[in-house]
Amino acid sequence: MFWVLLLALGLRLINLNQSLWLDEAFQFKAIANFNLTDMLTVYLPGDFNPPLSYLINFFVGKFFGYSEIVLRLPSVIFGVITVWLVYKLSHKIWPALLLATSGLHLYYSQEARMYSLAAMAVTASFYFLKEKKWLWYWAFSLIAIYSHYLTVFIFPAQILLVKKTELKSLLLSWLAIVIGYFPWLLIFFQQLSAGQSVSGSAWGKVVGGLTVKNLLLIPIKFLIGRISLDNNLVFAALLVLPVLATVWWLIQGIKRQRFLAVWLLVPLLLIILFSLKLPVLSYFRLLFILPPFYLLISSVAPKKWLIGFLLLNLITSAIYLFNPAFHREDWQSLAKNIAPNQPVVMIPTVNAPLKYYYSGTVLATDTVPQADFSYVSYAEPIFDPTLTFRRQVESSGYQEKTTQSFRGGLTLIQYIR
């Protein structure tokens, strides 16, 4: 098992310094630009995430700085711990090896966000529930809901897994969890109000509305992570056999492994239903049900099929790790290509990654500058779908001098008179 953990760690350290993307830059903004009190009471009420991952990054950053590697290292550690917990749950190498090489788990073990932390906490919660170690169950369940709100849907699953003689211990643990969560409730309700305001909006659809596409992406991304092909027909043809095999072995596993089946299916179904109310359905938010996904498959699939799943993981993970086209948005390169001594204009709601890499003047799109400038058109379809700012620029006598494109759909336009 030591070599599996070493493999998991090694994979998660490759290209860990790739550019931060929007959500990671939001997290950096929160921990670097606010003191602890203001981060919790001013910044996070407008966000829709619990505070724990922010707190971890806040204190780690105070000691070690805010480089991409430092910001992401806690997620790396949580990812490796999750691999170890999967082994503890099964006492078998295969499910741990599959999770260690999973492209999806690897990707979010390299992200300065809460998903790796939530997956670790939920896996630990189920492990200690199975072992009937109630103090540890309470601790990691509380960590889970302080990591990501959707983890609350593990509790209906867990009540289905305990015997009547264990119900009292479970309910007492839940009472302790509620008491432990009480200090955050006021801010949670503020966040909930903000979350409801985007439901049904264009931004709501981006962040996780209930759509056929978002449903189909769950099994596909569980299998291959964040990679894709431009040709959808070829992509679909390549995935037919892996998807069919996955469905077959999952069904067989669900028939035989009630504990794992409940862990996988109950939160998934509840989150799908909840998405009718709030836009939360995205495959990466379901990372905490990836462990039972692999545990179920490895509990019933013969060795030759497990080798096939392992090869698929290794291929898709290698494509992500070593092909920059599948890395995160390339704000590093964009910032390096900004014309010297020129201000940059950008939609202020999403300018956090630019400000991480660019120390010059960053202006909002509410007014047109009086001198030559560069414009980053990021998130226009959401926040400026009618291209109001561009029309104002043209009517002010500006013309495009250069247009440069960067990974992640980033476009840098230089305007001159």
Side-chain angles (χ1 to χ4, degrees):
M1 185 58 198
F2 170 78
W3 296 107
V4 175
L5 294 177
L6 192 62
L7 174 64
L9 177 61
L11 290 174
R12 283 155 179 76
L13 293 177
I14 297 173
N15 284 323
L16 192 61
N17 64 337
Q18 61 182 272
S19 176
L20 298 184
W21 81 290
L22 178 65
D23 283 8
E24 292 178 297
F26 280 151
Q27 187 132 337
F28 161 75
K29 176 182 177 181
I31 66 172
N33 296 348
F34 294 84
N35 61 41
L36 183 59
T37 300
D38 287 346
M39 183 182 76
L40 295 174
T41 61
V42 177
Y43 179 84
L44 283 175
D47 194 41
F48 193 58
N49 288 290
L52 186 55
S53 68
Y54 291 87
L55 289 170
I56 292 170
N57 275 142
F58 181 87
F59 289 109
V60 171
K62 292 300 180 186
F63 285 99
F64 300 105
Y66 301 107
S67 70
E68 296 95 341
I69 291 176
V70 170
L71 290 170
R72 290 167 172 156
L73 199 55
S75 291
V76 171
I77 296 170
F78 299 138
V80 174
I81 293 173
T82 308
V83 173
W84 176 75
L85 287 167
V86 165
Y87 172 75
K88 295 290 290 183
L89 275 160
S90 64
H91 300 289
K92 295 178 181 179
I93 291 293
W94 273 108
L97 185 58
L98 291 176
L99 187 65
T101 56
S102 161
L104 188 66
H105 192 260
L106 196 161
Y107 187 94
Y108 288 101
S109 295
Q110 291 190 318
E111 186 154 292
R113 295 291 279 166
M114 66 292 300
Y115 307 112
S116 181
L117 171 61
M120 182 274 291
V122 167
T123 306
S125 174
F126 276 92
Y127 171 70
F128 289 114
L129 176 71
K130 188 176 182 181
E131 296 293 316
K132 308 300 182 289
K133 296 181 178 179
W134 297 107
L135 180 60
W136 287 105
Y137 166 76
W138 163 79
F140 279 99
S141 298
L142 188 61
I143 289 172
I145 61 173
Y146 266 111
S147 303
H148 199 282
Y149 288 130
L150 293 187
T151 61
V152 72
F153 292 108
I154 68 173
F155 298 119
Q158 290 176 338
I159 200 170
L160 298 176
L161 295 173
V162 297
K163 300 175 182 178
K164 290 183 179 180
T165 54
E166 301 161 351
L167 188 59
K168 181 178 179 181
S169 297
L170 179 69
L171 294 178
L172 287 174
S173 297
W174 285 6
L175 178 61
I177 291 168
V178 171
I179 294 171
Y181 201 73
F182 188 78
W184 186 249
L185 280 179
L186 178 62
I187 295 177
F188 165 72
F189 287 122
Q190 294 175 3
Q191 292 179 328
L192 187 63
S193 176
Q196 289 174 330
S197 69
V198 304
S199 182
S201 67
W203 184 245
K205 293 178 182 178
V206 170
V207 299
L210 180 55
T211 64
V212 173
K213 178 182 178 181
N214 282 341
L215 287 170
L216 292 176
L217 281 176
I218 295 170
I220 292 173
K221 295 302 183 180
F222 272 31
L223 271 179
I224 64 169
R226 290 291 301 245
I227 69 168
S228 61
L229 293 177
D230 292 334
N231 191 317
N232 290 331
L233 290 177
V234 174
F235 191 48
L238 291 173
L239 286 176
V240 168
L241 180 59
V243 168
L244 290 177
T246 300
V247 171
W248 170 257
W249 294 120
L250 276 177
I251 291 173
Q252 302 311 308
I254 287 168
K255 290 178 180 179
R256 303 180 195 181
Q257 299 283 345
R258 181 174 178 270
F259 183 91
L260 298 174
V262 171
W263 178 1
L264 175 71
L265 295 178
V266 172
L268 174 60
L269 294 174
L270 291 175
I271 290 168
I272 290 172
L273 291 175
F274 186 70
S275 296
L276 293 171
K277 180 67 175 177
L278 285 178
V280 297
L281 185 65
S282 291
Y283 60 88
F284 54 86
R285 297 194 183 102
L286 302 176
L287 194 70
F288 61 86
I289 62 172
L290 189 63
F293 174 83
Y294 281 122
L295 283 161
L296 281 167
I297 290 173
S298 61
S299 69
V300 291
K303 188 175 181 179
K304 64 180 180 180
W305 279 101
L306 294 177
I307 292 173
F309 283 114
L310 176 61
L311 289 174
L312 179 65
N313 278 1
L314 290 173
I315 292 170
T316 55
S317 293
I319 292 172
Y320 155 62
L321 288 172
F322 299 110
N323 187 343
F326 296 108
H327 292 177
R328 291 165 177 83
E329 299 163 349
D330 193 6
W331 292 96
Q332 291 174 340
S333 297
L334 183 146
K336 291 177 181 178
N337 282 272
I338 294 172
N341 303 318
Q342 281 192 3
V344 183
V345 178
M346 188 175 176
I347 295 168
T349 308
V350 290
N351 67 12
L354 178 62
K355 287 191 170 184
Y356 179 86
Y357 289 105
Y358 182 64
S359 58
T361 302
V362 180
L363 303 175
T365 51
D366 52 355
T367 58
V368 177
Q370 298 303 308
D372 295 350
F373 67 97
S374 295
Y375 172 56
V376 180
S377 61
Y378 188 73
E380 267 185 342
I382 299 170
F383 296 103
D384 188 13
T386 60
L387 304 181
T388 300
F389 177 74
R390 292 206 201 195
R391 292 203 306 270
Q392 291 175 344
V393 169
E394 292 173 0
S395 64
S396 298
Y398 283 97
Q399 295 180 339
E400 294 184 13
K401 179 182 179 182
T402 60
T403 299
Q404 300 178 75
S405 297
F406 303 90
R407 186 178 62 244
L410 308 183
T411 301
L412 177 67
I413 305 171
Q414 185 181 12
Y415 281 103
I416 61 171
R417 273 181 169 163

